[in-house]
Each structure stands twice: as C-alpha cells, then as structure tokens.
Amino acid sequence: MKVGKVLRTCTKLAKYNFKVRTEGSYIGIMWYLLNPLALFAVLFLVFNDRLGGGILNYGAYLLLGIVMFNFFQQTARESTGIIEANIEIIKFMRFPREMLILSMVIKNAFSHIFEIAAFIIIAVIMGSSIQGIIFYPLLFVPLFIFILGVSFLFSAVAVYFVDLDNIWIFISYLLWLATPIFYEIGGQGRLLLFNMFNPLYYFITIGRDIVVYSRIPEMWLVGGALSYSLIALLAGLLVFRRLKGRFAEML
Amino acid sequence: MKNVSKRFNIGLGKKHGALQRILSFLSGEDRRRYIWALRNVSFTSKPKEIVGIIGYNGSGKSTLLRAVGGIYEVDEGTIRTEGKIVSVLSMYAGLNAKLDMVDNINLVCTLLDLTSDEIRKSFDDIVEFSGLGRFLNTKLYKFSDGMLQRLAFSIVVHCNPDVLLLDEVFQVGDKTFQAATAEKLDELKKGGATILFTSHGYSDILDYTDRLIWLHKGKIMMEGKPEDVYRAYAKTDSFTV
C-alpha cells in the first residue's frame, strides 16, 4: 500500500478514535489537557522558588517538559493494550496490524497538538518568549517516529506478556523522575550519564533549546535524537513483524 | 490452497504475565502441545463461484477462512489469492457502539480498504440495502442485534470484494432481507467475485452454492456437487464420522 494512502487511512481512523474518546463528555478535549496542566500547576507552585529558582523561564521549561513526556508516556501505555482493545479487528478482519498502531499514535499526536496549544497560551500569559515554537515541527517528526517505534515494540510484546502495562507504569514513573523535567541536571555526573541512554532527555532538551531559549541545539543532541528515532522504529517494526502473525491466536 | 496445514499450540498459555511465562519456561511446564486444525487441505476456487464449506463444530471451517483471509499464518502449504479479500468472520467486527450509523459506515468501509471517494459512491446503496435510513444519526448502542447485522452485512457486500469470506453469517435478518442478501451475493458472483462461506449444514446452503466442501477434523472429507456432498454429510453425525 502506498505511504500516502496509509497515512490518509490512519488519520481517518485516528479521527474516529479521537471522537469516540471525547464522545458523551461535556468538557470534551479538556480531559486531554487536565492531567498535564494540573501536574504543571502543582509542580510550578512547589518548585518555582526551589529547584526552578535558577532556571530561566521556568514555567515554559517545566510545561514543555511535561507535555513532551506526556505524549510519550500516554502513547506507550496505550500501546500495551492496543491489540487487545482491537480484538475484533485482529481476530476477524483482514486489516494491516501496523496501521492500528500508527492510527493510535496519530490520535495521541492530536492530543499533543492541543497540549502544545495550551503550552503556547500559558507561556504567553507568563511572559515567556517562545518564537522558536515555529520550529517545533522539525523536532516533532523524529519524536513521533521514536514513539511509533516504541509503540510497535510494546504493542507486540504485550500480547505475550499481559502484565507489560503494569510493568510500564512502574518503569515510566522511574523514567519520569530520572528525566530532567522539573529540575536541571546541572553538574550531576551520574544523572547525566544515565540520561545519555534516555532518549527523552535528548528530545526534551532540544525542545527547550528551540522553543523556550530560541537557540540552536548542540549537534550531539540532534544526532542522539535522530539515532534513537531510527533505532526505535527499526527495532519496533522488526519485533512487531516477527510476532504479528500469531496475534489472532494469542488473543 | 495447496497442502495447507495449520496447527495451534494448546500448551502455550494465553494471558500470562512476564514472570509467569519465564517461570513456566524455566520449569518446563510450558510444554509445546499441538493440535492440527487443518491437515493437507487443497482446493481451488475460481471467480464467479460460490463455495460452501460445511462441517461440525471444530472441523476447521473458521480456521480455513481465516487462513485464506490472511488472519492466520499457515504452518505448511501455500495459499494464493488474487484481488481484494473481504472477510466477514464476525458481524460486529469494526463497528463502534459509541458512533452513529454514518460514522460507522465510514469507519468500517475504511477498515475494508475503501477510499473516501469509494465510500461516498457506495454510501447511499449501503443505507438503502440495510433499510435503516431512518437511523443515520442514531448511535449504534441503541440498535438491536438484527439491525446491527443488517448494517454490517450491507457494508461488506458493498465493498467491492474480489474474494468474500463469510463465516456462519448467512442467517441475517428477516425473509425479505435474506432474499435481498441472496440477490446481492448473486450479483457479486456475476460481477466476478469468489465467495466462500461456512455453515453448520443448513439445507438452504444448497440454494446458494455452486460447490460444497465437507470438512471434518481439519481434513476434506468430500468435495463436489452441493446435493451429493450435503446428502453424504447429512447421513452422518459428529460422533460417527
């Protein structure tokens, strides 16, 4: 199938899934924003004068970190149940399984766009200069590819290990604490070393450089983010294609 | 379909967690025990042909359709198909109860690989065929089972299949709808489609099929003229074959 047709089909499915999620809810898409915005409000109140005291534009720094991490965390979590959630399609329909994953990531990208819009509004209210937001799409593409790769991997493995969801909740919590979202790494050598192996560190740092500080990110960060995107996509697709033939039998 | 065999590993536990699976593997508990659902099945089906597959529960009918539809990978043999395959192995697959009828037609047609233009062209025909035009903006959770079946069936028969796979879904709707269904299947057949459908063996299968295959315990027992195969099948029961 051609790439254009795949993208059109997946975007259409994503729109329906997005509609289903907001269906019957009075506040609709506000549900998507509630979690990151509430988290931001609490962390900002608690840390603005402490951990964030020495960080320029701490509000924008914090919120962008939350929004980017949230996109990854929520999508990865949803991917652990996406095959089971589409059991009727997997067991009874001839539909490319990869497109279920792609449409799920696109659906979450819609919510990410709403979160970025909320970020822009709040950053402007807080007086932060965020002209660099126009370059965010350049970062969004490798971030999307990275998340897509992780989703392929998690969705396939979760069919065989049904508690991956619970394991992921635990791991993502640790990852949340280890990633410099509400603090700066500063001179903490061991934390920096850990974050060299943390793809989210690269994406979030580049995002802040571009959007919050309007500066060109360092090349090693860009190289790291692109490498992680490519590795995640290749590894995810490899595992997914190896395991997908047995999905219908395993459910 | 040539010498196709399909087996299932019934020793492999489903719904196991990571720790349980690792412990089962290390202790040797997770043994590989297989059951053959299809064994050396070979047959050919041409365009403009309706082939019925009969057999008792567990004979391998649904597995055969899923193998043809690419839903199951086969362990041995080869399956070659040409054109667009549409499988209706469950009447409700793809439908979403929280969406209305218009959205569901769009959604299922998209899942069945129709472009937006094709959906627009088929939309009115689907609605008319289903006879549910008054419920276009009604959410599906308000539909009865009969209405859901009519809608689902109307969608799939309008998705221009080259190969249509129907699993135990022939008894849909009232007599009028069944007559319309038979007419539509005949129209698809004349248009060049190949239709494979399974049944427990109701005699009305004879009204639709050009050829009948009797499947038992994963093997083809008999294949040929519908009357001959059905007569042989009807003489048996599931315990004596």
Side-chain angles (χ1 to χ4, degrees), chain A residues 105-175:
Chain A
V105 180
I106 291 173
K107 184 200 75 178
N108 285 341
F110 291 159
S111 359
H112 182 61
I113 290 167
F114 283 111
E115 289 179 16
I116 287 291
F119 162 78
I120 293 169
I121 294 166
I122 291 171
V124 168
I125 291 169
M126 296 178 91
S128 299
S129 166
I130 52 159
Q131 295 100 322
I133 195 76
I134 56 167
F135 297 109
Y136 186 73
L138 295 176
L139 176 63
F140 176 78
V141 173
L143 177 64
F144 182 93
I145 291 170
F146 170 72
I147 293 172
L148 180 64
V150 172
S151 299
F152 276 130
L153 183 69
F154 281 15
S155 58
V157 173
V159 175
Y160 290 80
F161 300 102
V162 293
D163 53 359
L164 183 65
D165 179 34
N166 293 325
I167 296 171
W168 174 243
I169 290 171
F170 174 69
I171 292 175
S172 69
Y173 181 64
L174 295 182
L175 196 61

Side-chain angles (χ1 to χ4, degrees), chain B:
Chain B
M1 187 176 239
K2 196 174 177 188
N3 297 326
V4 167
S5 296
K6 170 68 190 167
R7 65 180 185 177
F8 293 107
N9 182 0
I10 55 170
L12 184 67
K14 296 176 181 180
K15 312 279 181 193
H16 279 188
L19 187 61
Q20 193 179 4
R21 205 170 278 290
I22 290 165
L23 288 176
S24 297
F25 177 75
L26 292 176
S27 67
E29 195 183 281
D30 202 3
R31 291 189 193 93
R32 290 177 180 266
R33 288 186 290 122
Y34 294 103
I35 185 170
W36 288 96
L38 293 177
R39 203 69 174 144
N40 288 321
V41 173
S42 301
F43 74 91
T44 307
S45 186
K46 304 182 296 289
K48 299 188 177 184
E49 186 180 36
I50 300 182
V51 179
I53 301 160
I54 53 170
Y56 297 107
N57 281 334
S59 58
K61 303 185 298 291
S62 301
T63 304
L64 188 144
L65 286 194
R66 283 182 181 157
V68 174
I71 292 166
Y72 284 159
E73 282 181 352
V74 297
D75 294 290
E76 291 170 11
T78 51
I79 298 173
R80 197 166 65 85
T81 54
E82 280 174 22
K84 179 177 166 184
I85 299 179
V86 173
S87 55
V88 192
L89 308 180
S90 160
M91 267 299 172
Y92 309 113
L95 294 174
N96 193 309
K98 286 185 176 177
L99 296 174
D100 63 21
M101 187 170 148
V102 174
D103 283 343
N104 268 289
I105 291 173
N106 277 292
L107 178 62
V108 177
C109 285
T110 304
L111 289 169
L112 293 174
D113 197 28
L114 259 67
T115 63
S116 297
D117 279 347
E118 287 170 329
I119 296 171
R120 260 193 296 277
K121 281 178 195 161
S122 303
F123 188 89
D124 290 342
D125 292 338
I126 292 171
V127 174
E128 191 187 332
F129 188 83
S130 72
L132 298 168
R134 289 182 298 132
F135 305 100
L136 280 177
N137 299 312
T138 306
K139 299 255 184 348
L140 252 57
Y141 66 83
K142 294 178 180 170
F143 277 37
S144 68
D145 275 358
M147 290 162 80
L148 287 174
Q149 288 176 347
R150 289 167 73 121
L151 173 62
F153 201 83
S154 307
I155 295 171
V156 293
V157 294
H158 286 89
C159 282
N160 316 319
D162 295 307
V163 179
L164 180 61
L165 309 173
L166 304 169
D167 189 15
E168 309 277 1
V169 291
F170 220 65
Q171 305 297 317
V172 173
D174 52 24
K175 292 283 176 198
T176 315
F177 189 73
Q178 281 182 21
T181 297
E183 200 177 310
K184 185 66 191 172
L185 290 181
D186 196 49
E187 185 188 316
L188 285 172
K189 175 187 152 183
K190 283 175 182 157
T194 304
I195 300 167
L196 296 182
F197 74 89
T198 65
S199 169
H200 278 302
Y202 298 107
S203 58
D204 56 1
I205 199 170
L206 302 175
D207 299 338
Y208 307 111
T209 48
D210 299 309
R211 192 151 54 96
L212 203 56
I213 294 173
W214 170 18
L215 208 60
H216 186 73
K217 292 183 179 170
K219 292 180 181 172
I220 293 181
M221 296 290 286
M222 194 175 173
E223 179 187 356
K225 284 184 181 172
E227 295 79 11
D228 298 342
V229 176
Y230 188 79
R231 199 176 302 121
Y233 171 76
K235 282 181 187 168
T236 66
D237 64 55
S238 57
F239 301 107
T240 58
V241 180

